[in-house]
Amino acid sequence: MYSNDLLQRRLSTQASRTHDDTYEFAKQMSGEPFSLGDMYAFQNQMLDMSNANWANSQYTQFKFGIRKAIIDAIN
């Protein structure tokens, strides 16, 4: 999805990148014996993905709220 908003693009790119990194990490670890450190690293990767998605969602809600406030102020 193309957006003229630089911050939105950066947040979307970061969310996509963390999703891809998490998928690649899980793919590399599948079928191999894993250690407690591997599980901790995967948990951290999932947390990074969650944080990126949360930030992207919060910014989208913020933009919607600002636009709604402007429209309500005009009416």
Side-chain angles (χ1 to χ4, degrees), residues 1-9 12 59 63 67:
M1 175 173 73
Y2 180 76
S3 173
N4 289 329
D5 187 347
L6 179 61
L7 184 56
Q8 182 72 51
R9 280 188 290 178
S12 293
Y59 185 68
K63 284 191 336 181
R67 289 177 181 158

Side-chain angles (χ1 to χ4, degrees), residues 41-75:
F42 184 72
Q43 180 185 11
N44 283 337
Q45 189 64 42
M46 291 292 289
L47 184 60
D48 288 346
M49 186 174 74
S50 176
N51 288 338
N53 286 327
W54 178 83
N56 193 17
S57 172
Q58 290 299 305
Y59 185 68
T60 301
Q61 288 180 6
F62 167 75
K63 284 191 336 181
F64 174 78
I66 292 294
R67 289 177 181 158
K68 184 176 182 325
I70 291 169
I71 291 170
D72 289 347
I74 292 171
N75 294 329

Side-chain angles (χ1 to χ4, degrees), residues 9-65:
R9 280 188 290 178
R10 290 187 71 191
L11 288 169
S12 293
T13 300
Q14 184 63 25
S16 178
R17 186 177 300 132
T18 59
H19 181 268
D20 293 343
D21 290 348
T22 303
Y23 176 77
E24 280 301 315
F25 184 82
K27 189 173 150 184
Q28 289 173 358
M29 298 309 295
S30 66
E32 296 179 15
F34 56 91
S35 68
L36 187 58
D38 293 336
M39 290 190 302
Y40 182 71
F42 184 72
Q43 180 185 11
N44 283 337
Q45 189 64 42
M46 291 292 289
L47 184 60
D48 288 346
M49 186 174 74
S50 176
N51 288 338
N53 286 327
W54 178 83
N56 193 17
S57 172
Q58 290 299 305
Y59 185 68
T60 301
Q61 288 180 6
F62 167 75
K63 284 191 336 181
F64 174 78

